[in-house]
Amino acid sequence: MVAVTIYGIKNCDTMKKARAWLEGHGVTYAFHDYKVQGIARDQLATWAKAVGWEVLLNRAGTTFRKLPDEDQDGLTEAKAITLMLAQPSMIKRPVLDIGGRLLVGFKPELYTAAFKG
C-alpha cells in the first residue's frame, strides 16, 4: 500500500473538503499541519522542482496580497521558498503526496483519477 500524506492547515475550507473526500473514499492518510509542525526548506525545494514554485505559491491568498510590493515583485524560486517558509499559509493547499506523486490543490476529479485502480 502506498503512503499518503496530506499537507496543509487544519482549518482551511479546501483542506476540509480534501480530507472529507479522502475519508469518504476510504483512503488512509497522514495529516501534516505545517502551521503547527512546520515545513522544511528541503521539502519545499523538492516540491518546487516537482510541480514548480509558481504552482506551490498561493498568490491569491490574503497573506500574499498583504505583503509589501518589494516582497511580491521579482519573485524567484529561492525568494518564493523563503516567503513560504516564513509564512506557510502562502503554500497552496492541500499538497497531497501519494507515494511521491504530488497533487496541489483540491479537485475531486483529480483525486478520483489518482486513486483509481
Side-chain angles (χ1 to χ4, degrees):
M1 189 138 126
V2 176
V4 177
T5 304
I6 189 167
Y7 295 83
I9 297 168
K10 184 179 181 180
N11 293 325
C12 167
D13 287 341
T14 305
M15 286 294 304
K16 290 175 184 176
K17 291 175 190 171
R19 292 174 72 190
W21 188 98
L22 292 170
E23 290 161 10
H25 289 81
V27 177
T28 302
Y29 64 90
F31 171 54
H32 182 102
D33 186 331
Y34 38 62
K35 268 209 166 168
V36 175
Q37 297 167 272
I39 191 81
R41 179 178 292 275
D42 290 350
Q43 180 98 51
L44 280 176
T46 299
W47 289 351
K49 296 280 184 257
V51 300
W53 66 266
E54 299 91 340
V55 171
L56 281 179
L57 182 64
N58 182 7
R59 295 177 196 231
T62 307
T63 306
F64 183 82
R65 291 194 321 260
K66 285 184 177 178
L67 289 174
D69 289 343
E70 61 267 16
D71 286 342
Q72 292 185 31
D73 296 340
L75 283 173
T76 62
E77 182 174 313
K79 187 175 179 181
I81 288 172
T82 298
L83 288 171
M84 289 184 280
L85 282 170
Q87 302 212 35
S89 56
M90 278 194 254
I91 304 168
K92 191 174 279 183
R93 300 178 293 276
V95 175
L96 185 66
D97 182 336
I98 309 165
R101 183 169 157 235
L102 299 178
L103 293 178
V104 179
F106 174 65
K107 291 190 175 150
E109 62 275 15
L110 294 179
Y111 276 43
T112 299
F115 288 100
K116 268 190 179 168

